[in-house]
Amino acid sequence: MDSRPSSPEAPPADLWGSILDSVSSSRSIPSKQILLLGQPSTGKSTLAAGLLQKPPADEKEDHATDFAVGYDFANVRDEADEDTLARLSVYTVPSSAPEYTSLLPYFVPPRTALPHTLVMIALDWTRPWTFVEELETWLRWVEKWTRGDGARELEIVREESRERLQAHLQHYSEPSVDPPTAVSSSMSGSTVLPLGPGTLTHNAAGVPIIVVCTKADLFDEGGSDLGTGASGMGGMVRGKGGEWEERTDSIMQVLRTICLKYGAGLFYTTQHPTTLLTLRQYALHMLFLPPAPSLAVASAEPPAPVRNPFPFTQKPNYLDRDRIVVPAGWDSWGKITIMREEFEARTWGDAWEADLEAEGDAPSDGAKALFSALVPDQGIKPTPLPPLNNPTPEQAFLAKNYDENAKRTDRDPRAAFRDSADPMRAAAGLVGPMGGMPSFDLPTVDRVLSEMETGINGNIGGAPPPRAAAAPRRPAGLAPSTSPRQPSGPAGGVPTPTSATGGQSQHEVLQSFFDKLLKGGKDRTSASATTTAPKTNGNGAAEEGS
């Protein structure tokens, strides 16, 4: 019987394509990213340049290209600079304003980027009074970002990331002088100790976090006040002997206590390249943490340890204040208290929890309140704005003044134009320039009629009317009167219409006035016609004078 197959297996349709895909997948370059968070002028551009090993950008250019979300990348090569081991990307935001931070989930979605992302928070040592407040702001945002949309796939990624970070903290051991092959970068099946008090109580997603205090070489350079020094801290305590060291040590203890709760590392950096190189090595080490060992049934042959391609061999350093190195997994409450025994890590841990639970104003026993007492705010306060000038509505203002003036008789503006010594004006109630004009009451009208009648009868012959007697001089500011006032009436007071006209009524006086006007006009017309008409003879021709 022939056991050979009837026909060979058909080769794949795209043989070379499948071979290239398998090779590319086996030799693919892993991509990692760092979210660099910090307020303005905290040294983010210097940190990004050190992480990517690029020359730092000029300050003027950095301000000119400050985008809502900054991005840059670089390839991570081996020591021989032959092979590319990874591609490192750095994302930055100008500040913690929601307008900027809300954009990051679109570029770094937590569902796919969480296992490959590290968060770096930059704090400025020249403004130490802002440390706790800025840490709370950024750590709150990290917790919100890692929660994402709450999908089931994201919850699985969060659990795996937390197990990986917790395993790293539990298996951490201080680097020794032995070769890197024997360091604790590998996770073996050794006994796992539980986490200490106050360790990894937050950061449920297990994202690696590094808190970086920049400009550490400036916090002890200051004069007698804040304005003369480059740093607020130096200007506050410089030249007071042990108080300067106690204050800086207390600040470091507070930062270490907060970092311990999130499983974060604490680093101080300066412009010196060695501090930035140490930070870069630790960031790569945390980005390539091996996964947590599985809890499978122990077999006769233990599994091969998973190694970290970027071991971190730098020893912890908490004595040199300008190059602090506190990696995650090394610190504890006991080590924090060794620096200053009067420091109570538990009290500060509870104060931090009180701030996180408070929804409104910060509680008096919170971490921010305690830290403000330790490091008073000496920043430059903005000039307060002048109080808002809220003018009174126009109608309300006028109504108020009208009511006030109506109650005061001496505020009547018409009183300035009245002449109390003139009874005629007081009786007539005339105000202003009208007072200088003749009063056209009934006695005056009668006198005008008499003058007009006399003038009409006297001017028929062409003789000019006699000039009236000069009026008495009147006070300045009043119009001259056409005729002197003569007292009339029975007692020399204000005349009445009946007494001045011989018992005639007002209508009769007016009717007589207009009748005389009409009659006087006709008389003047007839008189002028008589004097100017030419004489004619019987033949109808005009006679010429001899």
Side-chain angles (χ1 to χ4, degrees):
M1 183 177 180
D2 192 0
S3 59
R4 292 179 299 175
S6 58
S7 61
E9 295 182 0
D14 189 3
L15 179 60
W16 289 108
S18 60
I19 294 174
L20 293 176
D21 291 340
S22 61
V23 173
S24 61
S25 60
S26 61
R27 295 177 60 93
S28 61
I29 299 175
S31 297
K32 304 291 181 179
Q33 51 261 359
I34 295 177
L35 296 182
L36 184 53
L37 310 176
Q39 299 294 350
S41 302
T42 53
K44 297 189 297 292
S45 58
T46 302
L47 293 179
L51 293 171
L52 301 176
Q53 292 189 335
K54 293 184 177 181
D58 185 65
E59 293 185 359
K60 297 181 180 179
E61 296 179 358
D62 181 56
H63 287 292
T65 58
D66 196 6
F67 300 103
V69 176
Y71 173 78
D72 201 356
F73 74 97
N75 293 328
V76 180
R77 307 182 69 85
D78 57 3
E79 296 181 357
D81 199 14
E82 295 179 354
D83 298 331
T84 300
L85 303 180
R87 174 169 293 175
L88 182 62
S89 302
V90 177
Y91 293 87
T92 59
V93 289
S95 68
S96 59
E99 293 81 5
Y100 303 129
T101 56
S102 60
L103 300 175
L104 283 176
Y106 296 97
F107 296 93
V108 190
R111 184 182 301 183
T112 57
L114 186 58
H116 312 288
T117 303
L118 178 141
V119 175
M120 186 175 294
I121 302 174
L123 304 177
D124 187 0
W125 246 120
T126 62
R127 300 194 300 269
W129 49 84
T130 63
F131 282 178
V132 172
E133 183 177 359
E134 291 183 9
L135 268 180
E136 180 179 336
T137 300
W138 290 117
L139 292 175
R140 282 179 182 270
W141 181 86
V142 171
E143 294 279 7
K144 179 181 178 181
W145 171 72
T146 56
R147 285 194 297 268
D149 56 359
R152 176 59 183 168
E153 296 82 357
L154 180 57
E155 292 298 327
I156 296 175
V157 173
R158 285 163 52 91
E159 293 176 2
E160 294 176 352
S161 299
R162 181 175 176 86
E163 291 176 357
R164 181 181 59 179
L165 180 60
Q166 182 174 344
H168 170 74
L169 299 179
Q170 292 175 333
H171 290 85
Y172 178 86
S173 62
E174 188 173 341
S176 61
V177 295
D178 298 334
T181 56
V183 297
S184 61
S185 297
S186 62
M187 296 183 183
S188 58
S190 58
T191 304
V192 177
L193 298 176
L195 296 175
T199 303
L200 200 61
T201 58
H202 294 72
N203 193 8
V207 57
I209 301 175
I210 305 176
V211 177
V212 183
C213 296
T214 62
K215 308 175 186 178
D217 54 339
L218 301 179
F219 75 87
D220 59 348
E221 294 181 2
S224 58
D225 54 10
L226 180 63
T228 59
S231 164
M233 188 67 188
M236 181 170 54
V237 297
R238 182 67 171 171
K240 296 184 180 180
E243 184 180 352
W244 175 75
E245 296 182 357
E246 292 177 4
R247 195 71 63 90
T248 55
D249 288 346
S250 298
I251 294 175
M252 185 180 6
Q253 287 176 307
V254 174
L255 295 178
R256 288 170 61 182
T257 302
I258 298 174
C259 291
L260 188 64
K261 301 176 75 65
Y262 291 83
L266 177 64
F267 283 71
Y268 287 11
T269 62
T270 63
Q271 293 288 344
H272 201 277
T274 56
T275 59
L276 298 175
L277 181 60
T278 302
L279 177 63
R280 179 177 183 271
Q281 292 174 354
Y282 182 74
L284 292 174
H285 175 74
M286 297 300 293
L287 282 170
F288 285 88
L289 288 180
S294 60
L295 302 178
V297 180
S299 58
E301 193 173 325
V306 180
R307 299 189 52 79
N308 190 323
F310 296 95
F312 183 68
T313 59
Q314 182 73 28
K315 287 188 175 183
N317 180 11
Y318 62 93
L319 297 178
D320 298 332
R321 291 182 174 83
D322 58 345
R323 54 187 66 194
I324 297 296
V325 176
V326 182
W330 174 83
D331 214 353
S332 64
W333 278 3
K335 294 178 180 178
I336 294 173
T337 311
I338 289 176
M339 295 184 63
R340 300 285 174 182
E341 295 182 357
E342 62 273 11
F343 182 84
E344 297 180 2
R346 185 181 298 276
T347 302
W348 281 94
D350 296 340
W352 179 264
E353 298 293 340
D355 278 348
L356 295 182
E357 294 174 359
E359 297 181 356
D361 298 336
S364 59
D365 58 345
K368 288 189 288 188
L370 296 178
F371 195 76
S372 62
L374 176 66
V375 187
D377 185 356
Q378 295 193 1
I380 300 176
K381 305 297 188 299
T383 304
L385 297 176
L388 181 62
N389 185 13
N390 189 12
T392 306
E394 181 180 358
Q395 294 301 322
F397 173 78
L398 295 176
K400 176 183 177 182
N401 286 270
Y402 177 80
D403 295 339
E404 292 179 356
N405 292 330
K407 297 177 182 178
R408 300 177 57 180
T409 57
D410 58 335
R411 294 296 302 272
D412 188 356
R414 296 175 296 179
F417 299 97
R418 291 199 180 105
D419 187 3
S420 59
D422 190 352
M424 293 293 295
R425 295 185 59 191
L430 298 177
V431 179
M434 291 289 293
M437 299 180 65
S439 178
F440 287 96
D441 50 2
L442 292 179
T444 308
V445 171
D446 183 64
R447 184 169 54 255
V448 171
L449 292 176
S450 301
E451 293 177 356
M452 291 181 62
E453 183 177 359
T454 303
I456 292 174
N457 296 331
N459 288 335
I460 294 177
R467 174 174 294 183
R473 188 174 183 181
R474 297 183 60 79
L478 297 179
S481 177
T482 56
S483 62
R485 295 184 180 273
Q486 298 178 357
S488 60
V494 179
T496 61
T498 56
S499 63
T501 58
Q504 293 182 352
S505 64
Q506 297 181 7
H507 296 286
E508 294 175 351
V509 171
L510 292 176
Q511 183 176 1
S512 175
F513 170 73
F514 287 109
D515 290 342
K516 291 179 180 181
L517 284 179
L518 295 175
K519 181 179 179 181
K522 293 178 179 180
D523 293 342
R524 286 196 302 270
T525 304
S526 58
S528 60
T530 303
T531 56
T532 58
K535 295 181 179 181
T536 58
N537 54 12
N539 298 329
E543 294 182 2
E544 296 180 0
S546 57

